[in-house]
Amino acid sequence: MPTAKTTVLKGDFTGSYEGSSYEQHPPTQGGEEGSHRMGSGPGHNVTRRQNLAPPDNVLNSAACAVCGDRASGNFFGATVCLPCKSFFIRCTKDGEPAVQKQCNGCCDVSKELRNRCQFCRFQRCLLIGMTRKEKPMVVHAAEGQELCRVCGDLANGVHFGIFTCEGCKKFFRRGLKEHKSYVCRGAHDCQLNPRNRNNCRACRFWKCAAVGMSRDAIKMGRPRKTFFQSKTDEDQAGLPPSYFHHKQSNTTPPTQLTALLDNKTPQRSLNRSPHRRSPTDEVRYPVCVPHLQLHPEKPISFYQWATRSESCSAGLLGSEPPCVASEDVGRSQSLPNVQTMPMIVPLGSVQSASHFSAQIGENRTFTSSNPYSSLFRSSAPAVTQLQPLPVSLRLNTDASTHSVKKYKGSKPPAPDAPDHFVSTRLCDQTSWAPPASRDFHAERLSLMSSVNDRVVRGRDIDGALDLSVRTNVAPSRKNGVCPPSYNGESPRVYSMQPCSQEDVVSLLRATTTTERVVSEQGAFDDVERGIKISRMDSDSVHDENTRSSGGPGWTVSHRPITEATRQFVAHSDGPEDLSATDKLPQGSALRQNYRLCENVSETGNVSLSSLSSMHINSPCQSYYQWTSTKDKKDLFEASSWKVPTTLVPSLHPEMSASISLNSGLGINRASSETLRTEECTEINYFDSMRKLSRDVLMSEHKTITLNNQNAQYTSEHFPSIPQHCPGSLRQEKVIPSDNCHSIPSEHSQQLRYQLRGEKQSTITPRNNAPFVKEDEIRALNDIADIMHAVIETSERQKTTLNPQETPTHSTIQIPEELTQTKLGFNLVKLREYWDKTLKLLNVPAPVDGDFEIPDIFRFIAKEDVTSYEEIKKITSKKLDVDSNRPDGLWLCREEEQNWKCLQTHMPRNVRGENRFPFALPGVAPIDRDMTVD
DNA sequence: GGGAAAAGGTCATAAG
DNA sequence: CTTATGACCTTTTCCC
């Protein structure tokens, strides 16, 4: 029988906490930690609200008690208009209002004059009784009552195995259900109480998990009678205390659980191992303790708890990766003992976590913060000698376009918009329609020309233009407002050119917008859009149909997976089952390494570009261990985007310091080299490329990038590598050091196999690879030869030029035809270009059809391959040309799908606590009201 | 099958 | 206008 619905009187807070044992506390002054506060819904009213709402006709005719304008309803305890409601919200948003008295206190606050004096208007609000009712910070439970283990509010039962209030129950359930990935804007140490529990969802969810809420702990139905009857005091020690209220008085001494939760000294011994429990001492309810769920037969560790599917799916571990390897791995003698690995737990949980760790026989240390995150600070002395860091940031143009569109909240470009991936950033900022007054072609030519001298340095080993050529900072921010440094005239290009801190911050803001969307809306919305802001610590977007390149923070990528990719991965040393990463602990280094394996483009090329550029030039490798927003913030503050000159003594002002190589032929193959300024010539550049390519292929120990989460593993198995060797071990190539060594990939492979529970056959990851090493070497040699030919051509051109007109830092111009094509990658034009090159080199060119550059170079050295048809046959790749594309030239089917996806998915307006930005050094926070009406 | 308890659903509401 | 929240309500699950 449904009960009659009650109508709630808006703003009626009377009766809150009536009948409860809450203590009424006056509101705190100045607010509590964190000024951010989510809409907390009816949470401020605890008792069921009465049907006290006046009839609509009464309300409609009522006047605002503040200004006399027509009231819109009852808000904050008074009948007021919307402007006054908003005014009151603004005044009380961050604690006490900041309005100062600058009058005699008798100003007219009528409708017409209400904006004249904020002080008097706010006084009027207070006078009529407007108030924000909040829950008390501390709640005391009466007899028989339990407090919520998460926030301390009154619990109304056991939810997910733990006594919680209704709100936390619902909150936790939502978190699990909706795959939310919350971000703490603080230090993951937000204190939770009934009043501020909505301030930080990340910490609230962490707390929920930390106290043991879990789907595994769900106990449906009626508890067994024997559950209460067969327990001795000792056996009851670890049980939720409320269960004993059914059988005994509430004077039960503190149990292990309550003692830990309340930080009291338990009266019973805490050293009993759960292993000692008699099998007859059946505990039907999982005993939930902080970080551990003890089970009589099979105690599980915090790690096991943390890596349960729900914990992972909820993104719990993504925000602060607490572990590096699995328990199974830990049992191997040849692998690190995870029992002793430091484990990261939420702040305030160290003691209890350590306690229970010891209780079940673990000898593990716990820390509340990433012990590695501060490593870069330990090398801070060099910060005294700083020079601006020529950061090379990359944004995929198409992805940044996505970003803009999403954030702008405007429609995607019209289907007939030409060159949408490029031109949208040049489009009208609100309609996405190409303005008739603008010549896109000319603009792009101008853009390309402006960076032409740098573009050549972005040319990849395979001759393709580096993606960063087409990188720009999207004129982001909502409603078309651009980042502060964006002048609105032409797209700012961040492409192999020095960026100022302001530029970086601008880019950061532009991209973080999307990141926030990703983290807030969850992975699966964005999978549909095929967008991700990659973070090495985040797997928020993960779907078998989408791959994103892992990047140091800001790589925006869109990379659909094709069957060809799967095949490639299957025949490489990557995992056969791409979805296998789901089985790995989220946020763990292993998973990240796995993702490197997945970092395969639709061309079958393994992209290591995300590992190549930025982090090498960064003052430390900490980009790879960004585990939270705070980490990023700290990194900003510590590095100030400068690099110790002692580390990079002679950076080329434009070229950055590193040259990296994507082998394109397999994972775990990368090499890099630093060029000094005087060495930064094209010849040296390509010589280095050639050298690197051979190094990559010839090296017995394929370098594998490990981040600091692997430091523990590294130190145990490679004692010569200091544990504090920051970040990527490939750093050895940048900062030569006797202390840094590369990691044989076999070990990584070994880990993978063990983690997957598979038998490791032979550690020859390339056994099934389609090419043998010699082929690759020849192919890369040919590539290098091609590049040399290009250089020679350029040199010949240079000699014909007037020396005074010769560019000082570049002589190779982008072929004009490339600049006129979509992203410079029009296949027809590109093929023409390459045909010329190949002809120059007297290399058989493909005869027909579309082609993919990597394939060309992969097979070019195979003597038995004489036509592109054979190449296609071997690679089994198909490039579908579809006339439905606006310009009639789909690159592939995925592009078409993306295009259609783009059209069907509208961006969402996102609010909430994850709203960017946090304060960045030296830059004023973004004005959230920065809108264009 | 009844009872008990928690999971799960609904929707008014605060807040922006 | 959107969103998150949580008090209340309904359904599910399990024990007796």
Side-chain angles (χ1 to χ4, degrees), chain A residues 329-351:
Chain A
V329 171
R331 295 194 184 97
S332 168
Q333 291 184 351
S334 61
L335 290 168
N337 179 12
V338 297
Q339 295 283 335
T340 59
M341 279 182 167
M343 188 164 285
I344 304 170
V345 297
L347 196 65
S349 306
V350 174
Q351 186 178 358

Side-chain angles (χ1 to χ4, degrees), chain A residues 363-659:
Chain A
N363 182 24
R364 189 197 302 279
T365 59
F366 290 83
T367 174
S368 59
S369 61
N370 187 340
Y372 312 120
S373 64
S374 61
L375 291 182
F376 70 95
R377 300 190 195 97
S378 66
S379 60
V383 175
T384 56
Q385 304 174 32
L386 295 177
Q387 68 180 25
L389 172 67
V391 179
S392 173
L393 289 179
R394 301 179 177 198
L395 271 182
N396 249 344
T397 306
D398 54 349
S400 61
T401 307
H402 280 272
S403 171
V404 176
K405 281 196 284 284
K406 288 181 68 178
Y407 194 72
K408 279 171 60 63
S410 58
K411 296 179 180 178
D416 57 348
D419 269 357
H420 67 280
F421 280 136
V422 171
S423 60
T424 43
R425 59 177 164 78
L426 304 174
C427 284
D428 178 82
Q429 294 300 307
T430 54
S431 69
W432 290 102
S437 60
R438 300 180 70 173
D439 184 345
F440 289 110
H441 181 62
E443 285 194 41
R444 199 163 74 245
L445 279 181
S446 173
L447 168 65
M448 297 292 280
S449 175
S450 69
V451 295
N452 195 36
D453 52 348
R454 298 177 177 116
V455 160
V456 65
R457 302 181 189 280
R459 197 183 299 274
D460 210 339
I461 185 64
D462 57 7
L465 298 182
D466 193 294
L467 279 181
S468 59
V469 168
R470 299 171 301 280
T471 296
N472 73 299
V473 162
S476 185
R477 305 307 298 174
K478 54 185 175 182
N479 295 330
V481 176
C482 301
S485 65
Y486 179 68
N487 58 20
E489 293 300 320
S490 62
R492 181 177 294 270
V493 175
Y494 290 88
S495 169
M496 308 297 283
Q497 60 178 327
C499 302
S500 67
Q501 177 179 340
E502 186 182 24
D503 291 338
V504 173
V505 171
S506 300
L507 181 59
L508 169 65
R509 286 177 167 167
T511 56
T512 305
T513 298
T514 303
E515 177 186 353
R516 178 171 57 78
V517 172
V518 169
S519 63
E520 198 166 78
Q521 297 183 356
F524 304 98
D525 288 346
D526 289 280
V527 162
E528 295 178 354
R529 299 184 179 89
I531 302 167
K532 179 188 181 182
I533 295 284
S534 299
R535 295 183 302 170
M536 290 301 285
D537 61 310
S538 170
D539 288 321
S540 58
V541 176
H542 181 70
D543 182 87
E544 62 178 1
N545 295 318
T546 300
R547 284 295 172 275
S548 300
S549 68
W554 316 122
T555 298
V556 185
S557 62
H558 158 74
R559 187 160 292 163
I561 276 210
T562 64
E563 183 58 31
T565 299
R566 295 178 187 279
Q567 290 297 321
F568 180 87
V569 171
H571 292 289
S572 71
D573 50 352
E576 286 80 6
D577 178 13
L578 291 179
S579 63
T581 50
D582 287 329
K583 303 183 180 71
L584 301 179
Q586 189 163 7
S588 70
L590 283 175
R591 183 162 178 157
Q592 293 173 11
N593 287 341
Y594 238 69
R595 297 192 73 77
L596 295 184
C597 305
E598 302 176 38
N599 207 359
V600 182
S601 72
E602 61 270 29
T603 65
N605 235 3
V606 175
S607 169
L608 289 174
S609 59
S610 61
L611 311 175
S612 61
S613 177
M614 183 174 173
H615 74 290
I616 291 178
N617 300 323
S618 62
C620 65
Q621 307 304 325
S622 299
Y623 296 100
Y624 273 109
Q625 59 182 30
W626 273 342
T627 57
S628 67
T629 302
K630 182 177 184 303
D631 278 354
K632 298 173 188 175
K633 182 181 174 183
D634 289 345
L635 187 58
F636 267 91
E637 293 173 345
S639 67
S640 298
W641 290 99
K642 294 180 178 178
V643 63
T645 55
T646 54
L647 299 184
V648 189
S650 55
L651 283 181
H652 188 282
E654 291 177 300
M655 197 172 174
S656 302
S658 66
I659 297 172

Side-chain angles (χ1 to χ4, degrees), chain A residues 19 22 29 70 90 114 262 278 315 346 384 404 408 452 520 556 644-645 713 729 874 928:
Chain A
Y22 288 126
Q29 298 294 317
R70 201 176 85 168
R90 291 196 301 272
R114 63 191 178 196
D262 302 338
S278 163
T384 56
V404 176
K408 279 171 60 63
N452 195 36
E520 198 166 78
V556 185
T645 55
Y713 169 81
L729 296 177
I874 294 176
R928 293 178 181 171

